[in-house]
Amino acid sequence: MLVSEATSPARSQNIVHIFDELSDCICRVADMADFLRVSHPSKVYRSAAEETCVKLSGLVEKLNTNIDIHAALKKVLQEGDVIPTDARDRRVAELFMFDFEQSGIHLPEEKRKKFVKLNENIILLGNYFMEGTHAAVAVEKSNLPEHVHHCFNIHGDNITVTGLFPEHYDEFVREAAYRIFLYPHPHQEDLLRSFLMERHKLAQLVDFPTFAQRALRGTMAGSAENVMNFLTTLADNIKESAQKDYNIMLAMKLYESGNNKAIMPWDPPYYSAVRRQEECNVKSNEVAPYFSLGCCMDGLSNLFYQLYDITLQPVRLEKGETWSYDVYKLAVVHGTEGIIGYIYCDFYERADKPNQDCHFTIQGGREINDSSYQLPIVVLQLNFPPPQTSVPSLLTPGMVENLFHEFGHAMHSMLGRTKYQHVTGTRCPTDFAEVPSVLMEYFATDPRVLSTFARHYQTGEPLPEKAIRNICQSKKVFAASEMQAQVFQAILDQVYHSHPQEGKSTTDILADVQNKYHGIPYVAGTAWQLRFSHLVGYGAKYYSYLMARAVASRIWHQCFKEDPFNRTMGEKYRREMLCHGGEIHPSALVEGLLNEKPTVEKFVQSLLDDIVSS
């Protein structure tokens, strides 16, 4: 019906409204199915959801190659609509057109067929590569000394290494796991090279010089050149601070083992953990009783009330409403606007549950014809220890930070009040979508915020102020070297998605990039990139977290550093940024909130200032 209306000369709605209604019609099924296929505890449900996703993918592909509705949209963009439109309509119409062009609809028939084939190949190769990133590696027991055999899984005459051992106290174990797990696998190398080449061919087919240029169109960064300028400038400016971190690690290594030759790639996570423990001066299991999930949720609700006049209120569940007995539902309630959305909280570990923290959109917010608003619905999925008979779920400081991060995404969805669901909440460029969640990490590591809810679950005794400050300070340990590693990974992602380098393997490229941009040289005989699963999901956008952190830092320092509970600033942040989703270009939103034009120099300086303050 909607497709017919979109192409009808007698339609009564503007074309963007019809397209958004069509998108909403599909997304309300597709988004739920996409969540259930990975998170539902029942294999039957997961299988049914997977089947639904496949069917809907075919439907979407059919719509994305529908020449009639494409022509109708193109005519509106060129000549104007028969129904009055505004700037928001124009922006969303252009985004829908970009989606069409991403699917190659503007290509001649033969090229369009080639596009579809390339896209299919990319999906298959990406899936196979992803599987390989988690594959265990088996070696003969005789390759390792007997005293470390117990550290690994033993199967007959073989030892199986299932991952890195980044925080193991024994350097030999860390090194062995690193060299074995990251040993170059020829098939995985072939998959990655083919995957990157198919992406490059697809980008060129739709008139982009590289896949990075295609992926970065419309983002806050704007272009691959801007991203590389940001990353290389940051790399140059952070080098000295990162080296100071490595010098401290080397001194720690000398003191602990007598080895002062060099810091190796398997060392930083371990020495960071040791240093963090020293800075914190208290063990995680000793502070966890002060961070019960209930206290943390009270802290979040209080923070949102102070900033936005919002509270989180439990909702009674209908029978069969959730996928697991331990999921609960929150209404997000504004003091004068009433209920503005719902959050399903899937917080506890369970068998077969993905071990990753995620925000899922189930229903996007949008204006409806009768002047009402379709409320946003999201799921927050985390992996906290479940409560026991007499002990609630107790969180480590890292878990508290993850909770705040994911609620940053949720509030972006809840506070969005866009005309169209296609651009609501987190439906915006990746480098901007991470800003609200990263900003919440600043609140989670501020002693004034933690002191409002860090109380012992049994006695109600507050966590001592010194302990809170130590916890917050420990989060900043070796910040420069950690950021340098992120910069290196982001640059590698950009290089892989730029022009192909003939005659070089992906491992050759890794070695070149690591030796140029990382303070720890490449280790021969390893291939870290063959375990870098984010190459598939992020594809030229791995820089996003760093750029989002730069923007979040500027927002924090300008709006909330003096007073993290400032209602005036909270309302301004909601009004100028959160409520718009992707309806306005992210650069314009940042400029509007901060009253300054975003530049690479300002972004880099914000990240450097954070490191200096740590």
Side-chain angles (χ1 to χ4, degrees):
M1 182 189 74
L2 289 166
V3 169
S4 297
E5 186 177 1
T7 56
S8 170
R11 56 188 166 79
S12 58
Q13 304 179 86
N14 76 46
I15 196 147
V16 181
H17 184 92
I18 297 169
F19 267 66
D20 190 69
E21 199 166 339
L22 183 60
S23 172
D24 182 67
C25 183
I26 294 169
C27 285
R28 276 188 288 139
V29 182
D31 289 340
M32 184 183 290
D34 191 49
F35 165 68
L36 293 176
R37 75 182 178 86
V38 295
S39 297
H40 201 288
S42 164
K43 288 184 179 180
V44 176
Y45 271 89
R46 292 200 301 270
S47 177
E50 181 71 45
E51 187 178 336
T52 300
C53 288
V54 171
K55 288 181 178 178
L56 285 173
S57 178
L59 173 60
V60 169
E61 182 62 37
K62 187 177 179 181
L63 291 170
N64 282 343
T65 53
N66 185 311
I67 296 173
D68 294 334
I69 58 175
H70 169 254
L73 180 64
K74 186 175 182 179
K75 183 178 180 182
V76 165
L77 282 169
Q78 291 176 341
E79 302 174 11
D81 205 336
V82 293
I83 311 296
T85 59
D86 57 23
R88 291 185 297 173
D89 300 325
R90 177 80 189 184
R91 159 86 174 161
V92 178
E94 289 171 348
L95 291 173
F96 275 121
M97 180 55 72
F98 180 59
D99 289 344
F100 267 126
E101 291 174 355
Q102 291 274 64
S103 297
I105 195 169
H106 59 297
L107 299 172
E109 182 66 24
E110 281 305 308
K111 284 191 173 182
R112 196 155 65 239
K113 287 180 180 177
K114 187 176 180 181
F115 180 96
V116 171
K117 183 62 177 174
L118 282 169
N119 206 44
E120 290 174 352
N121 290 347
I122 288 167
I123 292 171
L124 283 173
L125 288 166
N127 288 339
Y128 291 143
F129 177 77
M130 288 281 286
E131 289 176 13
T133 62
H134 306 295
V137 180
V139 296
E140 292 183 3
K141 284 193 296 187
S142 57
N143 289 328
L144 292 174
E146 191 172 339
H147 75 275
V148 300
H149 286 185
H150 70 281
C151 298
F152 305 98
N153 296 325
I154 300 175
H155 299 281
D157 292 330
N158 291 333
I159 280 176
T160 303
V161 181
T162 56
L164 302 175
F165 285 57
E167 295 184 13
H168 199 281
Y169 67 89
D170 188 325
E171 183 183 2
F172 184 86
V173 172
R174 295 197 305 273
E175 179 179 356
Y178 188 93
R179 290 184 180 277
I180 294 169
F181 193 66
L182 299 184
Y183 189 80
H185 193 292
H187 179 61
Q188 189 76 345
E189 165 70 20
D190 290 342
L191 285 173
L192 180 56
R193 288 190 68 183
S194 299
F195 175 74
L196 295 172
M197 183 55 69
E198 295 294 91
R199 275 186 165 175
H200 182 67
K201 290 177 183 176
L202 184 140
Q204 293 205 312
L205 193 63
V206 289
D207 301 322
F208 287 96
T210 67
F211 185 83
Q213 291 286 18
R214 177 179 182 263
L216 297 173
R217 178 176 162 182
T219 60
M220 187 161 58
S223 70
E225 289 79 13
N226 289 343
V227 171
M228 280 300 286
N229 184 22
F230 166 66
L231 293 173
T232 54
T233 303
L234 182 55
D236 290 341
N237 281 274
I238 207 172
K239 189 177 295 184
E240 185 177 336
S241 296
Q243 189 56 52
K244 289 179 181 178
D245 285 353
Y246 296 133
N247 290 343
I248 295 172
M249 291 182 203
L250 191 58
M252 294 171 69
K253 189 173 183 177
L254 173 62
Y255 177 79
E256 182 180 273
S257 65
N259 181 350
N260 68 342
K261 291 181 180 178
I263 288 296
M264 302 301 288
W266 47 83
D267 288 331
Y270 169 69
Y271 289 108
S272 294
V274 171
R275 185 67 171 222
R276 198 171 290 117
Q277 183 64 54
E278 293 173 350
E279 291 277 341
C280 188
N281 201 29
V282 62
K283 296 179 180 178
S284 292
N285 61 354
E286 293 175 353
V287 299
Y290 293 87
F291 293 116
S292 67
L293 180 56
C295 282
C296 295
M297 292 300 295
D298 285 344
L300 277 168
S301 190
N302 175 64
L303 177 63
F304 295 146
Y305 173 74
Q306 299 289 342
L307 293 176
Y308 312 120
D309 192 19
I310 277 172
T311 55
L312 306 175
Q313 300 182 12
V315 177
R316 185 181 179 86
L317 290 163
E318 298 293 329
K319 185 177 180 180
E321 185 175 350
T322 61
W323 51 99
S324 182
Y325 72 94
D326 53 1
V327 173
Y328 61 95
K329 181 180 180 182
L330 297 174
V332 182
V333 184
H334 188 272
T336 58
E337 299 169 28
I339 296 175
I340 61 172
Y342 294 99
I343 303 172
Y344 287 89
C345 301
D346 186 0
F347 283 169
Y348 302 121
E349 294 173 323
R350 64 174 178 269
D352 295 330
K353 182 179 178 181
N355 187 26
Q356 59 189 64
D357 300 336
C358 296
H359 162 276
F360 294 91
T361 297
I362 302 299
Q363 177 173 281
R366 66 179 182 125
E367 293 179 6
I368 303 176
N369 287 339
D370 62 3
S371 298
S372 62
Y373 198 81
Q374 176 173 293
L375 297 181
I377 301 172
V378 305
V379 173
L380 292 188
Q381 179 179 280
L382 294 109
N383 284 273
F384 298 149
Q388 304 302 315
T389 304
S390 58
V391 180
S393 178
L394 302 178
L395 312 189
T396 65
M399 291 175 182
V400 175
E401 191 171 340
N402 290 349
L403 179 67
F404 273 63
H405 180 99
E406 295 306 328
F407 261 96
H409 286 308
M411 284 300 112
H412 198 181
S413 294
M414 295 296 107
L415 295 172
R417 281 301 176 268
T418 53
K419 186 175 182 180
Y420 300 114
Q421 66 82 37
H422 188 66
V423 289
T424 191
T426 56
R427 287 176 176 162
C428 56
T430 308
D431 53 5
F432 182 67
E434 288 296 329
V435 171
S437 55
V438 174
L439 179 62
M440 283 298 293
E441 294 176 20
Y442 285 84
F443 287 94
T445 53
D446 187 282
R448 294 164 296 180
V449 175
L450 291 186
S451 64
T452 64
F453 65 88
R455 283 172 168 69
H456 199 284
Y457 76 94
Q458 288 177 314
T459 65
E461 173 193 5
L463 185 62
E465 183 180 337
K466 184 179 180 181
I468 289 178
R469 293 195 175 279
N470 286 345
I471 289 170
C472 294
Q473 192 60 33
S474 71
K475 301 272 180 85
K476 300 173 182 178
V477 164
F478 295 145
S481 55
E482 184 178 332
M483 186 173 290
Q484 186 186 64
Q486 290 180 333
V487 172
F488 148 65
Q489 292 163 12
I491 291 176
L492 184 67
D493 177 41
Q494 289 298 308
V495 172
Y496 280 154
H497 288 99
S498 61
H499 295 284
Q501 298 185 30
E502 296 296 332
K504 282 191 171 184
S505 69
T506 65
T507 303
D508 294 333
I509 297 169
L510 167 77
D512 291 345
V513 174
Q514 184 166 343
N515 291 335
K516 185 174 182 180
Y517 294 107
H518 202 304
I520 301 176
Y522 165 74
V523 175
T526 65
W528 170 84
Q529 83 285 0
L530 300 183
R531 301 288 184 174
F532 191 24
S533 60
H534 289 310
L535 288 171
V536 176
Y538 277 84
K541 295 180 183 179
Y542 196 69
Y543 75 93
S544 295
Y545 186 81
L546 284 165
M547 188 165 283
R549 178 162 290 280
V551 175
S553 174
R554 296 194 81 77
I555 295 172
W556 172 257
H557 286 283
Q558 284 198 30
C559 302
F560 301 112
K561 185 178 181 181
E562 290 301 315
D563 178 8
F565 307 104
N566 190 313
R567 171 69 64 82
T568 301
M569 285 301 179
E571 292 288 358
K572 181 181 180 183
Y573 174 53
R574 178 190 180 186
R575 183 177 63 253
E576 299 288 339
M577 185 172 284
L578 292 180
C579 75
H580 297 293
E583 206 164 51
I584 297 174
H585 195 282
S587 295
L589 293 178
V590 173
E591 185 173 352
L593 177 65
L594 300 177
N595 295 315
E596 63 179 25
K597 194 169 185 64
T599 65
V600 164
E601 291 73 24
K602 288 173 182 174
F603 287 167
V604 169
Q605 193 58 51
S606 293
L607 294 172
L608 295 176
D609 289 344
D610 273 356
I611 289 172
V612 170
S613 68
S614 67

